[in-house]
Amino acid sequence: AQVRTVTLTFTVSVPAGTDGSGRDVYIAGFLNRLDGNLPEWNPGGVKLTRVNATTWRITFTGKENTQIEYKYALGSWDYVEKDDACAETSNRQLTLSYGSNGSQAVSDTVENWRNVAPCGN
């Protein structure tokens, strides 16, 4: 069977204070497993598009059944995502799924950022 291409769209909700940080939202991870010759684990390598003050989005393509891990950051590991208690978060995991129409939508929420209030480092 031919391996099919999946269109993968990430939409991430970020804390209200993100805009005030003056930083853009990036995705880092095993993005090199997707199409487009993307960097692996570069916190400032792949920028999302700002939809509004608390929503950012990006679309990729990749082969179905590809597994990736990823995190969000504000351009640097010094500003990586944190949980609601400002603790470290595990890598997010995803397997590309063709589904019924070749599109996969991912909705993520970032609770906090390292070095952005209310979190320190």
Side-chain angles (χ1 to χ4, degrees):
Q2 183 178 357
V3 178
R4 299 175 292 183
T5 297
V6 177
T7 300
L8 178 64
T9 301
F10 290 91
T11 303
V12 59
S13 297
V14 298
T18 302
D19 260 10
S21 75
R23 294 178 164 271
D24 292 320
V25 178
Y26 293 80
I27 186 170
F30 290 121
L31 305 181
N32 56 315
R33 296 179 183 172
L34 302 173
D35 298 340
N37 208 16
L38 300 165
E40 182 177 340
W41 291 106
N42 179 344
V46 181
K47 185 172 99 171
L48 282 72
T49 300
R50 183 183 184 277
V51 177
N52 59 45
T54 58
T55 308
W56 291 70
R57 183 171 293 141
I58 193 166
T59 299
F60 300 104
T61 58
K63 302 297 182 243
E64 68 180 321
N65 299 321
T66 299
Q67 294 181 324
I68 62 170
E69 294 183 18
Y70 63 100
K71 281 190 170 186
Y72 297 100
L74 299 179
S76 163
W77 293 126
D78 291 336
Y79 298 92
V80 70
E81 63 177 298
K82 297 286 214 163
D83 70 13
D84 59 353
C86 298
E88 293 293 333
T89 61
S90 299
N91 293 346
R92 298 173 187 264
Q93 298 184 346
L94 175 77
T95 301
L96 275 65
S97 172
Y98 189 85
S100 61
N101 63 1
S103 295
Q104 184 175 2
V106 178
S107 295
D108 288 325
T109 300
V110 171
E111 300 291 341
N112 285 299
W113 302 108
R114 175 184 287 157
N115 291 315
V116 176
C119 299
N121 58 10

